[in-house]
């Protein structure tokens, strides 16, 4: 086989890079300098990174997962007609189209993510080949703004950033607002820890987001747009910036688009690390150059927004669906999903799950189906305990409720929220009190400080949770948590404060016995809370390798090298950091 | 130590940014971002230059600089290690990365985040969107995932060798 005709495609989203894609590309260049290499965004199978796709000169397609620089020579050898295929890494091949690994994508319905991982995000022609900029061409030639809004109304899409407000209603407000200057903002400030679909879309399919922004802008009558992107996503900022430039050069974006009277231009504003800027009015304040603090609504941004002008803010994932909806019709989108939740939703799977990554499924799918059929079940072999949905504004859904269907109302009924779609899966090794404390520390840090209940209330909650984790709490502290939950929810101005107690409320509701174990028995059942656990070495299992002693940051371990069972932990010095547990290869460290 | 890391601010550089980025109040964040990308933090002299040469007030510059977590008011080391503390990283052991790297860099004082020799600064950051590879960290601009405390140490060791930095507890 002639290697000159081999096309190699390497997944190079941030997750691909984290798994070592740069080294893999280097290896391909070293062992087969003659082949063509192209990079694409993350297809969503993050657990298989680094993903490498090979197209040979017979038009066959092979996809390999978990590629490292060491597996590269073998892959090249096989495609040059020598040696055997690398079966354990092969996800897809002409002979292996139904492999269980491939089922990860097979179970999904990809609309927002339809292009990610299939095109080179830095190539505008790649996007055009996949129907790119067809939707905007269609609407400027054939549709009035009202017709566009009507089509979106038929699709019934609701904002995918978290709150789930019907998109066409929001657009209608802005369309009807007075004024010749209007703005369209793409909210790419994905602050929810645990959600990364916006990053993947901005990085892996930026033209799709640009086209989505153009459709929204056309509908509301905006000539200027801003893309507010987190500074923590440098690759997204880079790829999106290049996409704007290329779209300009090709005349798809800018003055008099497609020869019409519609003009639209986009500017990138990098965020500066403030979770509250995901809130609309705070985001606007941030673009205006101020501290990102929310203000009272009304007036809503659709009436009085950026620089005092009517403004619409749409989330990245919402925008990603728009070109597809225009090309295929609103009814085609609404055909997916349930009565109150139409279409598909992207989820970011992470934590104690076998196949972490991005998953797009029709609304109405059961949580269990996402975690088991697509996610492949728990990674540790221990059973699932809970899934955290909706980040700091969301809540924990226990395993007993995994048959809940994914739709706005059903998820809300559990006490969690759909949110932006982060799903952090947990098994027995996560302490729910520690998790609640983690989220409260997060919201407390991220509170803008404007409302007392949010600023001080979340601090008091965190103090109470710290007390519980330290084994110093009383049962009455749980009542105090309930009371604070109610007050903060009622008295905060914006969504951050109103939802901040949610992680506490849901863990208290579903995992109360864990709170009680901390308070009554001074015990952390998951073995996480440092004040309540001890690390000891089981002499019978200790092989005397000294790894734990080397790793211990506080010199709390003594023993004699090569003498089995000689190592012990000096409890007075031990800080329970868990380093010894992590490095011990013979499972001799006991955490209790 | 911090004395040695203090940056020398050249006024013409800052004035050039103002010319390029703008001098109205909506330029506040991008201007500070430009300053920080140059010096690694926001030197007081640079912030004063912005106030003197734009329509942006001192209240606004300092208000913004202290509000957003990205901005630093203290000098930093030559390289920055960002340890992700998103939810997935938290439940997968981000704390252990922190403990092991602080140990390696001999940063014992909890208030400190920079190694004594000015080589590395450890920073806790909110989610960097790489949750399925948790726990994750970034040294300079290199992301690595699926780490243990020991693997994080190996990555730091490799980086230190490449950039000829001395690490205390190697």
């Amino acid at each position: 086989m002639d290697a000159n005709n081999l096309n190699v495609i390497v997944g190079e989203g941030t997750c691909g890079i984290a798994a070592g894609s740069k080294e893999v590309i280097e290896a391909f260049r070293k062992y087969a300098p003659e082949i063509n290499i192209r990079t694409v965004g993350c297809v969503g199978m993050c657990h298989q990174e680094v993903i490498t796709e090979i197209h040979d000169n017979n038009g066959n397609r092979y996809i390999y997962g978990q590629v490292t620089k060491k597996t590269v020579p073998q892959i090249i050898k096989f495609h040059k007609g020598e040696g055997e295929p690398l079966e354990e890494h092969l996800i897809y091949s002409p002979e292996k189209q139904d492999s269980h690994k491939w089922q990860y994508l097979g179970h999904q319905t990809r609309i927002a993510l339809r292009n990610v991982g299939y095109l080179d995000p830095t190539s505008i022609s790649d996007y055009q080949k996949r129907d790119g900029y067809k939707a905007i061409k269609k609407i400027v030639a054939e549709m009035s703004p009202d017709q566009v809004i009507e089509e979106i109304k038929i699709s019934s899409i609701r904002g995918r950033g978290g709150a789930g407000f019907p998109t066409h209603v929001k657009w209608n407000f802005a369309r009807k607002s007075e004024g010749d200057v209007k703005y369209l903002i793409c909210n790419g400030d994905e602050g929810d820890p645990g959600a990364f679909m916006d990053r993947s879309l901005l990085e892996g399919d930026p033209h799709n987001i640009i086209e989505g922004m153009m459709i929204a802008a056309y509908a509301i009558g905006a000539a200027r747009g801003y893309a507010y992107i987190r500074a923590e996503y440098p690759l997204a900022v880079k790829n999106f910036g290049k996409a704007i430039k290329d779209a300009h050069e090709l005349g798809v974006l800018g003055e008099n688009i497609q020869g019409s009277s519609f003009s639209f231009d986009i500017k990138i504003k990098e965020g500066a690390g403030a979770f509250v800027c995901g809130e609309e009015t705070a985001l606007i304040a941030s673009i205006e150059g101020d501290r990102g603090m929310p203000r009272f609504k009304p007036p809503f941004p659709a009436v009085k927004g950026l620089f005092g002008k009517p403004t619409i803010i749409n989330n990245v994932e919402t925008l990603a669906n728009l070109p597809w909806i225009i090309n295929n019709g609103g009814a085609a989108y609404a055909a997916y999903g349930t009565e109150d939740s139409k279409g598909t939703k992207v989820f970011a799977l992470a934590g104690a799950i076998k196949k972490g990554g991005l998953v797009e499924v029709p609304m109405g799918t059961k949580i269990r189906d996402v975690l088991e059929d697509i996610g492949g079940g728990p990674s540790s072999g221990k059973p699932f305990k809970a899934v955290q949905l909706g980040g700091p504004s969301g809540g924990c859904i226990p395993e007993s409720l995994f048959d809940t269907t994914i739709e706005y109302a059903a998820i809300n009924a559990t006490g969690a929220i759909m949110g932006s779609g982060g799903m952090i899966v947990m098994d027995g090794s996560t302490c729910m009190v520690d998790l609640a404390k983690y989220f409260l520390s997060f919201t407390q840090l991220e509170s803008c400080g404007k409302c007392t209940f949010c600023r001080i209330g979340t601090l008091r909650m965190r103090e109470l949770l710290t007390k519980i984790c330290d084994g110093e709490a009383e049962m009455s502290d749980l009542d105090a948590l309930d009371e604070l939950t109610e007050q903060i929810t009622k008295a905060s101005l914006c969504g951050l404060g109103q939802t901040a107690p949610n992680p506490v409320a849901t863990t208290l509701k579903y995992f109360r016995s864990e709170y009680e174990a901390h308070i009554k028995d001074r015990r952390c059942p998951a073995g996480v809370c440092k004040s309540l656990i001890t690390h000891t070495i089981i002499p019978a299992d200790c092989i005397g390798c000294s790894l734990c002693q080397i790793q211990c940051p506080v010199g709390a371990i003594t023993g004699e090298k090569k003498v089995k069972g000689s190592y012990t932990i000096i409890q007075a010095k031990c800080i329970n950091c868990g380093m010894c547990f992590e490095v011990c290869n013979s499972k001799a460290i006991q955490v209790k | 130590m911090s004395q040695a890391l203090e940056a020398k601010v050249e006024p013409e550089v800052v004035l050039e940014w103002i010319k390029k980025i703008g001098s109205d109040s909506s330029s506040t964040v991008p201007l500070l971002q430009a300053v920080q990308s140059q010096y690694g933090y926001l030197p007081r002299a640079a912030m004063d230059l912005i106030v003197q040469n734009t329509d942006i007030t001192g209240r606004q510059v300092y208000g913004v600089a202290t509000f957003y977590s990205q901005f630093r008011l203290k000098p930093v080391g030559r390289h920055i290690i960002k340890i992700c503390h998103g939810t997935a990283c938290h439940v997968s052991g981000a704390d252990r990365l922190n403990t092991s790297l602080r140990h390696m860099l001999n940063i014992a004082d909890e208030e400190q985040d920079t190694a004594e020799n000015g080589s590395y600064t450890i920073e806790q950051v909110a989610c960097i969107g790489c949750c399925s590879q948790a726990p994750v960290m970034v040294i300079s601009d290199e992301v690595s995932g699926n780490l243990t405390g020991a693997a994080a140490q190996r990555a730091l060791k490799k980086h230190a060798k490449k950039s000829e930095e001395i690490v205390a507890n190697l």
Side-chain angles (χ1 to χ4, degrees):
Chain A
M1 208 180 285
D2 183 4
N4 283 317
N5 289 328
L6 280 186
N7 277 300
V8 176
I9 303 166
V10 181
E12 200 160 50
T14 302
C15 41
I17 297 171
S21 65
K22 300 234 182 268
E23 284 184 339
V24 168
I25 291 173
E26 222 172 86
F28 271 110
R29 294 225 164 96
K30 183 174 160 198
Y31 295 111
E34 67 281 14
I35 60 171
N36 307 310
I37 300 179
R38 216 157 67 84
T39 56
V40 295
C42 171
V43 73
M45 298 171 83
C46 306
H47 60 283
Q48 288 289 348
E49 290 288 3
V50 177
I51 299 173
T52 300
E53 194 170 326
I54 309 248
H55 294 194
D56 68 14
N57 52 358
N58 300 322
N60 290 326
R61 190 167 164 229
Y62 295 80
I63 302 176
Y64 296 92
Q66 300 186 351
V67 177
T68 63
K69 60 181 178 187
K70 286 182 190 146
T71 47
V72 167
Q74 244 180 299
I75 293 173
I76 296 173
K77 231 173 153 186
F78 169 66
H79 288 283
K80 282 185 176 175
E82 309 152 18
E84 293 296 308
L86 209 60
E87 279 297 332
E88 69 270 31
H89 290 272
L90 204 52
I91 297 173
Y92 178 93
S93 73
E95 300 81 35
K96 213 178 168 182
Q97 300 192 12
D98 55 352
S99 84
H100 68 282
K101 287 175 184 164
W102 187 243
Q103 290 306 311
Y104 183 82
L105 295 178
H107 276 117
Q108 302 188 36
T109 303
R110 300 199 144 209
I111 295 178
L113 297 177
R114 66 193 178 281
N115 295 327
V116 185
Y118 292 97
L119 51 73
D120 177 351
T122 62
S123 159
I124 193 167
S125 67
D126 264 25
Y127 181 64
Q128 285 175 311
K129 275 181 216 149
R130 293 179 68 94
D131 287 345
Y133 294 114
K134 211 173 110 187
I136 188 68
K137 203 169 179 178
K138 180 177 166 184
I139 66 167
V140 296
E142 299 168 15
M143 294 169 87
S144 69
D146 286 329
Q147 283 173 314
V148 174
I149 295 180
E150 186 54 31
E151 203 60 50
I152 298 306
K153 187 180 173 185
I154 294 169
S155 79
S156 305
I157 187 169
R158 295 164 63 167
R160 295 291 189 244
F165 194 75
T167 302
H168 74 277
V169 177
K170 203 167 169 181
W171 286 6
N172 246 326
F173 284 143
R175 166 122 196 95
K176 289 182 181 144
S177 290
E178 299 285 326
D180 40 353
V181 178
K182 289 173 188 174
Y183 293 104
L184 185 276
I185 299 175
C186 160
N187 185 351
D189 189 61
E190 186 175 52
D192 265 15
F196 53 94
M197 56 286 288
D198 293 356
R199 168 184 69 72
S200 182
L201 282 161
L202 290 164
E203 266 178 24
D205 194 12
H207 287 287
N208 184 24
I209 310 303
I210 292 175
E211 192 176 6
M213 288 177 73
M214 293 168 80
I215 294 167
Y218 181 80
I220 64 164
R224 287 294 295 274
Y226 285 92
Y228 190 86
I229 305 177
R230 294 186 77 197
E232 287 87 342
Y233 292 171
L235 188 60
V237 173
K238 189 176 148 208
N239 287 358
F240 201 80
K242 175 160 196 313
I244 292 175
K245 199 169 146 259
D246 291 350
H248 252 287
E249 275 170 18
L250 213 73
V252 202
L253 189 67
E255 298 288 313
N256 302 105
I257 291 162
Q258 316 278 0
S260 70
S261 58
F262 174 53
S263 299
F264 186 63
D265 210 348
I266 301 171
K267 225 178 172 175
I268 294 181
K269 281 274 179 182
E270 277 185 57
F275 176 67
V276 69
C277 287
E279 201 276 343
E280 295 191 338
T281 56
L283 192 154
I284 287 171
S286 180
I287 294 184
E288 288 173 349
D290 259 313
R291 308 183 102 182
M293 287 194 178
R295 62 156 172 82
F296 275 110
K297 292 190 277 191
F300 288 95
V303 179
K304 203 168 179 225
L306 186 65
F307 306 122
K309 308 291 181 193
T311 303
I312 285 299
I313 302 178
N314 282 137
N315 162 263
V316 172
E317 188 188 332
T318 315
L319 294 166
N321 285 299
L322 302 180
W324 189 95
I325 293 173
I326 296 295
N327 285 333
N328 296 275
Y333 190 78
Y336 294 106
T338 66
E339 198 48 45
D340 97 302
S341 308
K342 300 283 188 200
T344 58
K345 175 80 192 90
V346 182
F347 290 96
L349 285 185
I353 186 128
K354 244 183 220 149
K355 302 178 186 172
L358 287 183
V359 170
E360 185 172 353
V361 289
M363 295 276 196
T365 308
K366 283 180 185 167
I367 293 177
R368 191 182 301 282
D369 295 344
V370 172
L371 301 183
E372 285 173 2
D373 296 347
I374 303 175
S379 52
S380 56
K382 293 182 206 161
F384 285 134
K385 181 170 176 178
V387 62
Q388 211 284 342
L389 226 69
S393 305
C396 282
I397 299 178
E399 199 271 342
S400 57
L401 294 179
F402 277 11
D403 288 325
T404 305
T405 49
I406 294 169
E407 40 187 335
Y408 289 98
I411 302 260
N412 288 351
T414 68
I417 57 161
M418 182 86 75
S420 53
M423 276 193 180
I424 311 284
V425 186
M426 287 163 289
D427 61 14
S429 61
T430 299
C431 168
M432 303 315 260
V433 189
D434 172 74
L435 186 78
K437 185 178 87 174
Y438 162 79
F439 278 117
L440 258 295
S441 306
F442 182 87
T443 40
Q444 204 262 315
L445 263 174
E446 295 292 345
S447 169
C448 80
K450 196 167 184 172
C451 322
T452 321
F453 279 92
C454 178
R455 182 180 67 243
I456 308 291
T458 55
L459 174 67
R460 292 290 168 262
M461 274 192 131
R462 194 189 69 172
E463 284 168 359
L464 286 167
L465 291 164
T466 305
K467 245 173 99 181
I468 300 172
C469 289
D470 288 347
E472 289 163 1
E474 306 298 327
M475 284 302 283
S476 60
D477 289 329
L478 296 185
D479 302 331
L481 280 178
D482 281 335
E483 199 180 319
L484 281 163
T485 295
E486 202 191 317
Q487 290 169 342
I488 298 169
T489 306
K490 277 188 189 158
S492 297
L493 172 67
C494 83
L496 186 140
Q498 287 157 6
T499 59
N502 280 0
V504 181
T506 53
T507 47
L508 256 175
K509 183 172 168 191
Y510 298 120
F511 301 95
R512 200 176 176 91
S513 64
E514 262 186 63
Y515 279 86
E516 289 177 356
H518 283 74
I519 298 171
K520 290 180 180 164
D521 312 336
R522 309 281 186 238
R523 186 173 65 84
C524 174
V528 172
C529 294
K530 286 180 182 174
S531 308
L532 302 177
I533 55 171
T534 49
H535 285 78
T536 44
I537 298 174
I538 309 164
D541 294 331
C542 171
I543 57 166
C545 68
S546 83
L547 269 181
C548 58
Q549 188 184 26
I550 295 168
Q551 278 298 329
C552 181
V554 288
I557 301 180
T558 57
E560 200 174 330
K561 203 170 174 183
K562 290 182 186 162
V563 179
K564 287 181 186 175
S566 70
Y567 284 86
T568 49
I569 299 175
I570 306 162
Q571 292 301 333
K573 275 191 177 178
C574 176
I575 56 167
N576 286 310
C577 68
M579 288 297 291
C580 53
F581 178 80
E582 189 184 280
V583 293
C584 180
N585 292 324
S586 52
K587 294 195 164 46
I589 312 276
Q590 195 178 34
V591 188
K592 249 186 174 173
Chain B
M1 171 206 74
S2 58
Q3 215 57 32
L5 293 173
E6 207 76 56
K8 193 175 169 296
V9 176
E10 287 133 348
E12 42 308 348
V13 178
V14 178
L15 294 176
E16 191 57 36
W17 286 324
I18 294 170
K19 224 163 98 189
K20 221 175 116 192
I21 295 168
S23 57
D24 59 333
S25 83
S26 73
S27 307
T28 317
V29 175
L31 277 173
L32 293 180
Q33 280 169 333
V35 169
Q36 183 155 296
S37 68
Q38 173 82 12
Y39 303 112
Y41 75 110
L42 302 176
R44 164 125 199 204
M47 291 203 282
D48 288 347
L49 279 165
I50 291 175
V51 175
Q52 287 151 15
N53 296 286
T54 64
D55 299 333
I56 306 166
T57 61
R59 175 201 73 84
Q60 194 168 2
V61 166
Y62 283 86
V64 166
T66 51
F67 181 80
Y68 295 97
S69 60
Q70 185 192 48
F71 295 124
R72 306 178 202 98
L73 297 169
K74 275 193 314 196
V76 287
R78 289 180 285 279
H79 314 277
I80 292 179
I81 302 173
K82 292 180 183 153
I83 300 179
C84 179
H85 283 263
T87 319
C89 290
H90 175 78
V91 301
S92 320
D95 250 357
R96 283 202 285 277
L97 306 191
N98 193 38
T99 310
S100 63
L101 293 185
R102 289 178 82 92
H103 169 56
M104 203 163 166
L105 293 167
N106 210 10
I107 311 173
D109 182 355
E110 267 183 40
E111 300 291 309
Q112 288 291 336
D113 48 17
T114 301
E116 204 55 41
N117 63 358
S119 55
Y120 291 91
T121 294
I122 293 186
E123 212 174 58
Q124 289 199 8
V125 293
C127 191
I128 56 169
C130 220
C131 318
S132 47
Q133 315 278 354
V136 176
M137 70 168 184
V138 184
I139 304 186
S140 295
D141 287 321
E142 295 163 25
V143 194
S144 43
N146 290 317
L147 295 167
T148 58
Q153 290 190 343
R154 281 196 297 276
L156 173 57
K157 200 168 154 184
K158 205 170 141 192
H159 187 273
K161 198 176 162 197
K162 199 175 72 188
S163 45
E164 297 176 0
E165 290 290 355
I166 294 162
V167 171
N169 293 326
L170 206 64

